[in-house]
Amino acid sequence: MVDVEAALLLGAGAFVAFAIVGLYRILQGPTMHDRVVAVNVVGTNTVIAIALVAGAYDAPVFLDIALVYALLNFLLSIAISKFSVEHGGVL
C-alpha cells in the first residue's frame, strides 16, 4: 500500500517541476501574452504544490498561504493585462 503522505509530496514535487519548466516560457516567450499565460501556469502550479504539502503534513495554515498566493497571482494577471492593453499590447 502506498503511503498517502509520500504520494502527496511526490505530486507536489511534480507540480514544482512543471512550474520550473514554465519559467522557460516566462523568460523566452515570444510575446507578452505567452508570458502572462506562463506566469498564471507557474502561479497555479505553486498553489497546487502548497495545497498538496498542506495535505501531506496535515497543516491547514498552508492552505491559508495557498489561498493568499492564489489571490495575488490573480491580481498580478489582471495588472499585467491592464498594463498590456493601456500600452498597445493588444491588437
PDB file of all heavy atoms in Angstrom, residues 12-49:
ATOM      1  N   ALA A  12       3.373  17.010  -5.238  1.00  0.00           N
ATOM      2  CA  ALA A  12       3.827  18.393  -5.071  1.00  0.00           C
ATOM      3  C   ALA A  12       5.142  18.621  -5.799  1.00  0.00           C
ATOM      4  O   ALA A  12       5.340  19.646  -6.447  1.00  0.00           O
ATOM      5  CB  ALA A  12       3.972  18.726  -3.585  1.00  0.00           C
ATOM      6  N   GLY A  13       6.025  17.640  -5.714  1.00  0.00           N
ATOM      7  CA  GLY A  13       7.298  17.751  -6.437  1.00  0.00           C
ATOM      8  C   GLY A  13       7.103  17.807  -7.942  1.00  0.00           C
ATOM      9  O   GLY A  13       7.806  18.538  -8.651  1.00  0.00           O
ATOM     10  N   ALA A  14       6.129  17.046  -8.443  1.00  0.00           N
ATOM     11  CA  ALA A  14       5.844  17.077  -9.878  1.00  0.00           C
ATOM     12  C   ALA A  14       5.330  18.451 -10.301  1.00  0.00           C
ATOM     13  O   ALA A  14       5.740  18.981 -11.345  1.00  0.00           O
ATOM     14  CB  ALA A  14       4.822  15.993 -10.224  1.00  0.00           C
ATOM     15  N   PHE A  15       4.456  19.051  -9.493  1.00  0.00           N
ATOM     16  CA  PHE A  15       3.953  20.378  -9.832  1.00  0.00           C
ATOM     17  C   PHE A  15       5.046  21.443  -9.747  1.00  0.00           C
ATOM     18  O   PHE A  15       5.049  22.392 -10.524  1.00  0.00           O
ATOM     19  CB  PHE A  15       2.757  20.746  -8.957  1.00  0.00           C
ATOM     20  CG  PHE A  15       1.463  20.169  -9.458  1.00  0.00           C
ATOM     21  CD1 PHE A  15       0.904  19.074  -8.840  1.00  0.00           C
ATOM     22  CD2 PHE A  15       0.832  20.703 -10.551  1.00  0.00           C
ATOM     23  CE1 PHE A  15      -0.275  18.525  -9.301  1.00  0.00           C
ATOM     24  CE2 PHE A  15      -0.348  20.175 -11.036  1.00  0.00           C
ATOM     25  CZ  PHE A  15      -0.904  19.071 -10.409  1.00  0.00           C
ATOM     26  N   VAL A  16       5.976  21.280  -8.828  1.00  0.00           N
ATOM     27  CA  VAL A  16       7.111  22.202  -8.764  1.00  0.00           C
ATOM     28  C   VAL A  16       7.971  22.056 -10.018  1.00  0.00           C
ATOM     29  O   VAL A  16       8.437  23.051 -10.591  1.00  0.00           O
ATOM     30  CB  VAL A  16       7.943  21.967  -7.478  1.00  0.00           C
ATOM     31  CG1 VAL A  16       9.254  22.711  -7.538  1.00  0.00           C
ATOM     32  CG2 VAL A  16       7.145  22.391  -6.249  1.00  0.00           C
ATOM     33  N   ALA A  17       8.159  20.820 -10.474  1.00  0.00           N
ATOM     34  CA  ALA A  17       8.926  20.598 -11.712  1.00  0.00           C
ATOM     35  C   ALA A  17       8.221  21.240 -12.907  1.00  0.00           C
ATOM     36  O   ALA A  17       8.872  21.850 -13.769  1.00  0.00           O
ATOM     37  CB  ALA A  17       9.123  19.102 -11.942  1.00  0.00           C
ATOM     38  N   PHE A  18       6.895  21.119 -12.970  1.00  0.00           N
ATOM     39  CA  PHE A  18       6.146  21.760 -14.052  1.00  0.00           C
ATOM     40  C   PHE A  18       6.281  23.277 -13.985  1.00  0.00           C
ATOM     41  O   PHE A  18       6.360  23.946 -15.016  1.00  0.00           O
ATOM     42  CB  PHE A  18       4.667  21.377 -13.991  1.00  0.00           C
ATOM     43  CG  PHE A  18       4.387  19.927 -14.240  1.00  0.00           C
ATOM     44  CD1 PHE A  18       3.313  19.315 -13.618  1.00  0.00           C
ATOM     45  CD2 PHE A  18       5.178  19.172 -15.078  1.00  0.00           C
ATOM     46  CE1 PHE A  18       3.039  17.972 -13.837  1.00  0.00           C
ATOM     47  CE2 PHE A  18       4.922  17.824 -15.297  1.00  0.00           C
ATOM     48  CZ  PHE A  18       3.852  17.230 -14.680  1.00  0.00           C
ATOM     49  N   ALA A  19       6.318  23.820 -12.774  1.00  0.00           N
ATOM     50  CA  ALA A  19       6.475  25.268 -12.619  1.00  0.00           C
ATOM     51  C   ALA A  19       7.850  25.717 -13.099  1.00  0.00           C
ATOM     52  O   ALA A  19       7.980  26.768 -13.728  1.00  0.00           O
ATOM     53  CB  ALA A  19       6.259  25.670 -11.164  1.00  0.00           C
ATOM     54  N   ILE A  20       8.858  24.906 -12.818  1.00  0.00           N
ATOM     55  CA  ILE A  20      10.217  25.254 -13.271  1.00  0.00           C
ATOM     56  C   ILE A  20      10.292  25.223 -14.790  1.00  0.00           C
ATOM     57  O   ILE A  20      10.917  26.087 -15.415  1.00  0.00           O
ATOM     58  CB  ILE A  20      11.245  24.314 -12.616  1.00  0.00           C
ATOM     59  CG1 ILE A  20      11.338  24.629 -11.124  1.00  0.00           C
ATOM     60  CG2 ILE A  20      12.608  24.445 -13.284  1.00  0.00           C
ATOM     61  CD1 ILE A  20      12.168  23.650 -10.335  1.00  0.00           C
ATOM     62  N   VAL A  21       9.620  24.263 -15.405  1.00  0.00           N
ATOM     63  CA  VAL A  21       9.568  24.215 -16.865  1.00  0.00           C
ATOM     64  C   VAL A  21       8.844  25.448 -17.402  1.00  0.00           C
ATOM     65  O   VAL A  21       9.233  26.011 -18.433  1.00  0.00           O
ATOM     66  CB  VAL A  21       8.893  22.911 -17.341  1.00  0.00           C
ATOM     67  CG1 VAL A  21       8.622  22.930 -18.827  1.00  0.00           C
ATOM     68  CG2 VAL A  21       9.749  21.709 -16.973  1.00  0.00           C
ATOM     69  N   GLY A  22       7.818  25.891 -16.696  1.00  0.00           N
ATOM     70  CA  GLY A  22       7.094  27.091 -17.108  1.00  0.00           C
ATOM     71  C   GLY A  22       7.938  28.353 -17.054  1.00  0.00           C
ATOM     72  O   GLY A  22       7.652  29.327 -17.758  1.00  0.00           O
ATOM     73  N   LEU A  23       8.966  28.359 -16.236  1.00  0.00           N
ATOM     74  CA  LEU A  23       9.853  29.526 -16.171  1.00  0.00           C
ATOM     75  C   LEU A  23      10.544  29.783 -17.505  1.00  0.00           C
ATOM     76  O   LEU A  23      10.867  30.921 -17.841  1.00  0.00           O
ATOM     77  CB  LEU A  23      10.892  29.339 -15.057  1.00  0.00           C
ATOM     78  CG  LEU A  23      10.360  29.416 -13.635  1.00  0.00           C
ATOM     79  CD1 LEU A  23      11.478  29.122 -12.638  1.00  0.00           C
ATOM     80  CD2 LEU A  23       9.742  30.770 -13.352  1.00  0.00           C
ATOM     81  N   TYR A  24      10.773  28.717 -18.275  1.00  0.00           N
ATOM     82  CA  TYR A  24      11.375  28.885 -19.597  1.00  0.00           C
ATOM     83  C   TYR A  24      10.487  29.767 -20.474  1.00  0.00           C
ATOM     84  O   TYR A  24      10.970  30.650 -21.165  1.00  0.00           O
ATOM     85  CB  TYR A  24      11.595  27.521 -20.258  1.00  0.00           C
ATOM     86  CG  TYR A  24      12.035  27.628 -21.695  1.00  0.00           C
ATOM     87  CD1 TYR A  24      13.351  27.947 -21.999  1.00  0.00           C
ATOM     88  CD2 TYR A  24      11.139  27.446 -22.738  1.00  0.00           C
ATOM     89  CE1 TYR A  24      13.756  28.066 -23.311  1.00  0.00           C
ATOM     90  CE2 TYR A  24      11.530  27.564 -24.046  1.00  0.00           C
ATOM     91  CZ  TYR A  24      12.841  27.880 -24.330  1.00  0.00           C
ATOM     92  OH  TYR A  24      13.239  28.001 -25.634  1.00  0.00           O
ATOM     93  N   ARG A  25       9.185  29.519 -20.436  1.00  0.00           N
ATOM     94  CA  ARG A  25       8.260  30.302 -21.264  1.00  0.00           C
ATOM     95  C   ARG A  25       8.196  31.744 -20.783  1.00  0.00           C
ATOM     96  O   ARG A  25       8.026  32.655 -21.578  1.00  0.00           O
ATOM     97  CB  ARG A  25       6.876  29.663 -21.248  1.00  0.00           C
ATOM     98  CG  ARG A  25       5.849  30.349 -22.093  1.00  0.00           C
ATOM     99  CD  ARG A  25       6.222  30.505 -23.555  1.00  0.00           C
ATOM    100  NE  ARG A  25       6.533  29.250 -24.175  1.00  0.00           N
ATOM    101  CZ  ARG A  25       7.172  29.146 -25.336  1.00  0.00           C
ATOM    102  NH1 ARG A  25       7.549  30.215 -26.008  1.00  0.00           N
ATOM    103  NH2 ARG A  25       7.443  27.979 -25.843  1.00  0.00           N
ATOM    104  N   ILE A  26       8.339  31.959 -19.486  1.00  0.00           N
ATOM    105  CA  ILE A  26       8.334  33.333 -18.974  1.00  0.00           C
ATOM    106  C   ILE A  26       9.555  34.091 -19.492  1.00  0.00           C
ATOM    107  O   ILE A  26       9.459  35.239 -19.915  1.00  0.00           O
ATOM    108  CB  ILE A  26       8.307  33.345 -17.434  1.00  0.00           C
ATOM    109  CG1 ILE A  26       6.977  32.807 -16.929  1.00  0.00           C
ATOM    110  CG2 ILE A  26       8.527  34.758 -16.899  1.00  0.00           C
ATOM    111  CD1 ILE A  26       6.934  32.596 -15.432  1.00  0.00           C
ATOM    112  N   LEU A  27      10.693  33.430 -19.481  1.00  0.00           N
ATOM    113  CA  LEU A  27      11.931  34.093 -19.896  1.00  0.00           C
ATOM    114  C   LEU A  27      12.077  34.187 -21.411  1.00  0.00           C
ATOM    115  O   LEU A  27      12.615  35.165 -21.925  1.00  0.00           O
ATOM    116  CB  LEU A  27      13.130  33.363 -19.298  1.00  0.00           C
ATOM    117  CG  LEU A  27      13.199  33.359 -17.774  1.00  0.00           C
ATOM    118  CD1 LEU A  27      14.348  32.484 -17.301  1.00  0.00           C
ATOM    119  CD2 LEU A  27      13.340  34.763 -17.243  1.00  0.00           C
ATOM    120  N   GLN A  28      11.622  33.170 -22.153  1.00  0.00           N
ATOM    121  CA  GLN A  28      11.860  33.113 -23.589  1.00  0.00           C
ATOM    122  C   GLN A  28      10.595  33.274 -24.433  1.00  0.00           C
ATOM    123  O   GLN A  28      10.657  33.092 -25.640  1.00  0.00           O
ATOM    124  CB  GLN A  28      12.510  31.766 -23.941  1.00  0.00           C
ATOM    125  CG  GLN A  28      13.824  31.518 -23.269  1.00  0.00           C
ATOM    126  CD  GLN A  28      14.898  32.493 -23.700  1.00  0.00           C
ATOM    127  OE1 GLN A  28      14.935  32.920 -24.853  1.00  0.00           O
ATOM    128  NE2 GLN A  28      15.775  32.867 -22.780  1.00  0.00           N
ATOM    129  N   GLY A  29       9.472  33.601 -23.791  1.00  0.00           N
ATOM    130  CA  GLY A  29       8.213  33.708 -24.532  1.00  0.00           C
ATOM    131  C   GLY A  29       8.313  34.714 -25.658  1.00  0.00           C
ATOM    132  O   GLY A  29       8.820  35.812 -25.465  1.00  0.00           O
ATOM    133  N   PRO A  30       7.827  34.351 -26.836  1.00  0.00           N
ATOM    134  CA  PRO A  30       7.953  35.293 -27.950  1.00  0.00           C
ATOM    135  C   PRO A  30       7.060  36.528 -27.803  1.00  0.00           C
ATOM    136  O   PRO A  30       7.401  37.586 -28.312  1.00  0.00           O
ATOM    137  CB  PRO A  30       7.554  34.469 -29.173  1.00  0.00           C
ATOM    138  CG  PRO A  30       6.778  33.323 -28.642  1.00  0.00           C
ATOM    139  CD  PRO A  30       7.257  33.081 -27.245  1.00  0.00           C
ATOM    140  N   THR A  31       5.942  36.397 -27.106  1.00  0.00           N
ATOM    141  CA  THR A  31       5.049  37.556 -26.945  1.00  0.00           C
ATOM    142  C   THR A  31       4.728  37.766 -25.473  1.00  0.00           C
ATOM    143  O   THR A  31       4.935  36.887 -24.636  1.00  0.00           O
ATOM    144  CB  THR A  31       3.725  37.347 -27.714  1.00  0.00           C
ATOM    145  OG1 THR A  31       3.009  36.282 -27.111  1.00  0.00           O
ATOM    146  CG2 THR A  31       3.960  37.051 -29.184  1.00  0.00           C
ATOM    147  N   MET A  32       4.177  38.929 -25.193  1.00  0.00           N
ATOM    148  CA  MET A  32       3.770  39.246 -23.833  1.00  0.00           C
ATOM    149  C   MET A  32       2.634  38.339 -23.375  1.00  0.00           C
ATOM    150  O   MET A  32       2.556  37.968 -22.211  1.00  0.00           O
ATOM    151  CB  MET A  32       3.352  40.717 -23.761  1.00  0.00           C
ATOM    152  CG  MET A  32       2.996  41.178 -22.396  1.00  0.00           C
ATOM    153  SD  MET A  32       4.433  41.154 -21.342  1.00  0.00           S
ATOM    154  CE  MET A  32       3.836  42.079 -19.972  1.00  0.00           C
ATOM    155  N   HIS A  33       1.773  37.952 -24.307  1.00  0.00           N
ATOM    156  CA  HIS A  33       0.644  37.089 -23.959  1.00  0.00           C
ATOM    157  C   HIS A  33       1.124  35.710 -23.509  1.00  0.00           C
ATOM    158  O   HIS A  33       0.562  35.131 -22.571  1.00  0.00           O
ATOM    159  CB  HIS A  33      -0.312  36.953 -25.143  1.00  0.00           C
ATOM    160  CG  HIS A  33      -0.801  38.269 -25.652  1.00  0.00           C
ATOM    161  ND1 HIS A  33      -1.584  39.101 -24.892  1.00  0.00           N
ATOM    162  CD2 HIS A  33      -0.598  38.905 -26.829  1.00  0.00           C
ATOM    163  CE1 HIS A  33      -1.852  40.195 -25.582  1.00  0.00           C
ATOM    164  NE2 HIS A  33      -1.261  40.103 -26.760  1.00  0.00           N
ATOM    165  N   ASP A  34       2.156  35.186 -24.170  1.00  0.00           N
ATOM    166  CA  ASP A  34       2.740  33.914 -23.742  1.00  0.00           C
ATOM    167  C   ASP A  34       3.295  34.020 -22.327  1.00  0.00           C
ATOM    168  O   ASP A  34       3.165  33.098 -21.528  1.00  0.00           O
ATOM    169  CB  ASP A  34       3.858  33.474 -24.685  1.00  0.00           C
ATOM    170  CG  ASP A  34       3.352  33.075 -26.054  1.00  0.00           C
ATOM    171  OD1 ASP A  34       2.211  32.587 -26.136  1.00  0.00           O
ATOM    172  OD2 ASP A  34       4.098  33.254 -27.032  1.00  0.00           O
ATOM    173  N   ARG A  35       3.917  35.126 -22.043  1.00  0.00           N
ATOM    174  CA  ARG A  35       4.491  35.323 -20.708  1.00  0.00           C
ATOM    175  C   ARG A  35       3.409  35.433 -19.639  1.00  0.00           C
ATOM    176  O   ARG A  35       3.564  34.907 -18.535  1.00  0.00           O
ATOM    177  CB  ARG A  35       5.383  36.555 -20.714  1.00  0.00           C
ATOM    178  CG  ARG A  35       6.642  36.325 -21.522  1.00  0.00           C
ATOM    179  CD  ARG A  35       7.589  37.501 -21.421  1.00  0.00           C
ATOM    180  NE  ARG A  35       8.851  37.126 -22.033  1.00  0.00           N
ATOM    181  CZ  ARG A  35       9.403  37.774 -23.039  1.00  0.00           C
ATOM    182  NH1 ARG A  35       8.818  38.848 -23.527  1.00  0.00           N
ATOM    183  NH2 ARG A  35      10.546  37.363 -23.535  1.00  0.00           N
ATOM    184  N   VAL A  36       2.308  36.109 -19.948  1.00  0.00           N
ATOM    185  CA  VAL A  36       1.216  36.234 -18.974  1.00  0.00           C
ATOM    186  C   VAL A  36       0.621  34.862 -18.671  1.00  0.00           C
ATOM    187  O   VAL A  36       0.379  34.520 -17.514  1.00  0.00           O
ATOM    188  CB  VAL A  36       0.127  37.206 -19.494  1.00  0.00           C
ATOM    189  CG1 VAL A  36      -1.115  37.156 -18.630  1.00  0.00           C
ATOM    190  CG2 VAL A  36       0.674  38.617 -19.557  1.00  0.00           C
ATOM    191  N   VAL A  37       0.391  34.070 -19.709  1.00  0.00           N
ATOM    192  CA  VAL A  37      -0.153  32.727 -19.502  1.00  0.00           C
ATOM    193  C   VAL A  37       0.833  31.881 -18.700  1.00  0.00           C
ATOM    194  O   VAL A  37       0.442  31.125 -17.806  1.00  0.00           O
ATOM    195  CB  VAL A  37      -0.491  32.066 -20.859  1.00  0.00           C
ATOM    196  CG1 VAL A  37      -0.830  30.606 -20.683  1.00  0.00           C
ATOM    197  CG2 VAL A  37      -1.633  32.800 -21.529  1.00  0.00           C
ATOM    198  N   ALA A  38       2.119  32.005 -18.981  1.00  0.00           N
ATOM    199  CA  ALA A  38       3.125  31.233 -18.253  1.00  0.00           C
ATOM    200  C   ALA A  38       3.185  31.645 -16.784  1.00  0.00           C
ATOM    201  O   ALA A  38       3.352  30.792 -15.905  1.00  0.00           O
ATOM    202  CB  ALA A  38       4.488  31.406 -18.906  1.00  0.00           C
ATOM    203  N   VAL A  39       3.035  32.928 -16.502  1.00  0.00           N
ATOM    204  CA  VAL A  39       3.006  33.380 -15.111  1.00  0.00           C
ATOM    205  C   VAL A  39       1.798  32.778 -14.395  1.00  0.00           C
ATOM    206  O   VAL A  39       1.902  32.338 -13.240  1.00  0.00           O
ATOM    207  CB  VAL A  39       2.997  34.930 -15.037  1.00  0.00           C
ATOM    208  CG1 VAL A  39       2.628  35.404 -13.656  1.00  0.00           C
ATOM    209  CG2 VAL A  39       4.345  35.482 -15.440  1.00  0.00           C
ATOM    210  N   ASN A  40       0.662  32.722 -15.075  1.00  0.00           N
ATOM    211  CA  ASN A  40      -0.527  32.101 -14.484  1.00  0.00           C
ATOM    212  C   ASN A  40      -0.304  30.615 -14.225  1.00  0.00           C
ATOM    213  O   ASN A  40      -0.714  30.094 -13.192  1.00  0.00           O
ATOM    214  CB  ASN A  40      -1.741  32.279 -15.388  1.00  0.00           C
ATOM    215  CG  ASN A  40      -2.315  33.661 -15.307  1.00  0.00           C
ATOM    216  OD1 ASN A  40      -2.201  34.315 -14.285  1.00  0.00           O
ATOM    217  ND2 ASN A  40      -2.919  34.114 -16.378  1.00  0.00           N
ATOM    218  N   VAL A  41       0.322  29.930 -15.167  1.00  0.00           N
ATOM    219  CA  VAL A  41       0.581  28.492 -15.009  1.00  0.00           C
ATOM    220  C   VAL A  41       1.525  28.240 -13.842  1.00  0.00           C
ATOM    221  O   VAL A  41       1.290  27.352 -13.013  1.00  0.00           O
ATOM    222  CB  VAL A  41       1.143  27.900 -16.319  1.00  0.00           C
ATOM    223  CG1 VAL A  41       1.685  26.502 -16.107  1.00  0.00           C
ATOM    224  CG2 VAL A  41       0.079  27.901 -17.392  1.00  0.00           C
ATOM    225  N   VAL A  42       2.585  29.024 -13.750  1.00  0.00           N
ATOM    226  CA  VAL A  42       3.543  28.855 -12.651  1.00  0.00           C
ATOM    227  C   VAL A  42       2.861  29.159 -11.320  1.00  0.00           C
ATOM    228  O   VAL A  42       3.040  28.421 -10.335  1.00  0.00           O
ATOM    229  CB  VAL A  42       4.790  29.747 -12.869  1.00  0.00           C
ATOM    230  CG1 VAL A  42       5.655  29.782 -11.630  1.00  0.00           C
ATOM    231  CG2 VAL A  42       5.596  29.237 -14.052  1.00  0.00           C
ATOM    232  N   GLY A  43       2.074  30.199 -11.271  1.00  0.00           N
ATOM    233  CA  GLY A  43       1.362  30.535 -10.034  1.00  0.00           C
ATOM    234  C   GLY A  43       0.376  29.458  -9.623  1.00  0.00           C
ATOM    235  O   GLY A  43       0.288  29.087  -8.449  1.00  0.00           O
ATOM    236  N   THR A  44      -0.359  28.923 -10.583  1.00  0.00           N
ATOM    237  CA  THR A  44      -1.316  27.865 -10.283  1.00  0.00           C
ATOM    238  C   THR A  44      -0.615  26.607  -9.809  1.00  0.00           C
ATOM    239  O   THR A  44      -1.053  25.958  -8.848  1.00  0.00           O
ATOM    240  CB  THR A  44      -2.175  27.572 -11.521  1.00  0.00           C
ATOM    241  OG1 THR A  44      -2.829  28.768 -11.923  1.00  0.00           O
ATOM    242  CG2 THR A  44      -3.198  26.488 -11.236  1.00  0.00           C
ATOM    243  N   ASN A  45       0.476  26.244 -10.464  1.00  0.00           N
ATOM    244  CA  ASN A  45       1.241  25.073 -10.026  1.00  0.00           C
ATOM    245  C   ASN A  45       1.796  25.261  -8.621  1.00  0.00           C
ATOM    246  O   ASN A  45       1.823  24.319  -7.825  1.00  0.00           O
ATOM    247  CB  ASN A  45       2.376  24.773 -10.997  1.00  0.00           C
ATOM    248  CG  ASN A  45       1.884  24.140 -12.281  1.00  0.00           C
ATOM    249  OD1 ASN A  45       0.806  23.570 -12.324  1.00  0.00           O
ATOM    250  ND2 ASN A  45       2.671  24.256 -13.322  1.00  0.00           N
ATOM    251  N   THR A  46       2.199  26.467  -8.294  1.00  0.00           N
ATOM    252  CA  THR A  46       2.710  26.737  -6.958  1.00  0.00           C
ATOM    253  C   THR A  46       1.607  26.602  -5.911  1.00  0.00           C
ATOM    254  O   THR A  46       1.822  26.016  -4.844  1.00  0.00           O
ATOM    255  CB  THR A  46       3.322  28.149  -6.909  1.00  0.00           C
ATOM    256  OG1 THR A  46       4.334  28.251  -7.907  1.00  0.00           O
ATOM    257  CG2 THR A  46       3.926  28.433  -5.555  1.00  0.00           C
ATOM    258  N   VAL A  47       0.428  27.114  -6.230  1.00  0.00           N
ATOM    259  CA  VAL A  47      -0.699  26.994  -5.300  1.00  0.00           C
ATOM    260  C   VAL A  47      -1.051  25.531  -5.078  1.00  0.00           C
ATOM    261  O   VAL A  47      -1.280  25.095  -3.938  1.00  0.00           O
ATOM    262  CB  VAL A  47      -1.921  27.783  -5.821  1.00  0.00           C
ATOM    263  CG1 VAL A  47      -3.172  27.461  -5.026  1.00  0.00           C
ATOM    264  CG2 VAL A  47      -1.634  29.271  -5.769  1.00  0.00           C
ATOM    265  N   ILE A  48      -1.080  24.746  -6.144  1.00  0.00           N
ATOM    266  CA  ILE A  48      -1.401  23.319  -6.012  1.00  0.00           C
ATOM    267  C   ILE A  48      -0.340  22.610  -5.190  1.00  0.00           C
ATOM    268  O   ILE A  48      -0.657  21.771  -4.328  1.00  0.00           O
ATOM    269  CB  ILE A  48      -1.559  22.682  -7.403  1.00  0.00           C
ATOM    270  CG1 ILE A  48      -2.795  23.242  -8.094  1.00  0.00           C
ATOM    271  CG2 ILE A  48      -1.653  21.166  -7.295  1.00  0.00           C
ATOM    272  CD1 ILE A  48      -2.903  22.864  -9.546  1.00  0.00           C
ATOM    273  N   ALA A  49       0.928  22.932  -5.415  1.00  0.00           N
ATOM    274  CA  ALA A  49       2.016  22.294  -4.655  1.00  0.00           C
ATOM    275  C   ALA A  49       1.902  22.627  -3.169  1.00  0.00           C
ATOM    276  O   ALA A  49       2.076  21.749  -2.316  1.00  0.00           O
ATOM    277  CB  ALA A  49       3.369  22.733  -5.204  1.00  0.00           C
TER     278      ALA A  49
END
